[in-house]
Amino acid sequence: MKKKYKFLIAIICVVMCLLFWFIQWNKIVGTVYGPEMEKIIIDNVSYVWGDTPYHGTDKSFHIGKGAWQDGTRVLDLYRIKGDKEFNYLYARHGWEGKMYMRENLKNREQ
């Protein structure tokens, strides 16, 4: 009898962990602007598409999803390895991906 309860509790724990992971994975954290994904805003910080010192292979963990204002399309947003200030961002839509940098960094370069 105790084995059944332990097994049932283990199954419930696994299901709860998977549910939590699924909710976190599909959380929308940013808004995408422009038909060519020129700008992404996350927590009032603007990221613009441009040349960065990183590539798509430098992506780190998934931070959430970005959606267009009308909700028609959604893309995955990733942090960059070694970027502790969160100045760069990798966005992937399907098989395509683009690198973004904070808008204030891009303005300093110009």
Side-chain angles (χ1 to χ4, degrees):
M1 195 68 152
K2 286 184 177 183
K3 285 183 181 180
K4 287 183 182 178
Y5 288 122
K6 287 181 181 178
F7 182 72
L8 183 61
I9 290 171
I11 293 294
I12 290 172
C13 288
V14 168
V15 168
M16 293 298 288
C17 289
L18 288 173
L19 183 64
F20 178 73
W21 175 79
F22 183 74
I23 289 170
Q24 280 299 109
W25 184 263
N26 289 314
K27 182 179 177 183
I28 294 181
V29 296
T31 306
V32 180
Y33 293 93
E36 297 294 324
M37 303 185 299
E38 292 92 12
K39 186 181 220 178
I40 299 173
I41 297 179
I42 301 173
D43 294 332
N44 295 326
V45 177
S46 297
Y47 294 89
V48 292
W49 177 69
D51 294 329
T52 66
Y54 298 103
H55 303 288
T57 56
D58 296 320
K59 72 179 181 176
S60 182
F61 64 89
H62 185 265
I63 60 171
K65 301 230 180 228
W68 275 257
Q69 289 179 315
D70 59 1
T72 56
R73 294 185 288 173
V74 177
L75 51 89
D76 293 307
L77 303 174
Y78 296 88
R79 288 196 68 163
I80 302 298
K81 294 177 193 171
D83 180 29
K84 298 193 184 340
E85 291 83 32
F86 200 38
N87 291 323
Y88 300 97
L89 178 72
Y90 178 71
R92 188 184 63 169
H93 182 259
W95 294 100
E96 283 186 36
K98 289 184 178 182
M99 295 298 300
Y100 292 82
M101 64 190 310
R102 282 187 183 222
E103 193 168 30
N104 60 354
L105 291 176
K106 186 160 186 141
N107 292 339
R108 272 192 248 160
E109 286 180 357
Q110 295 174 352

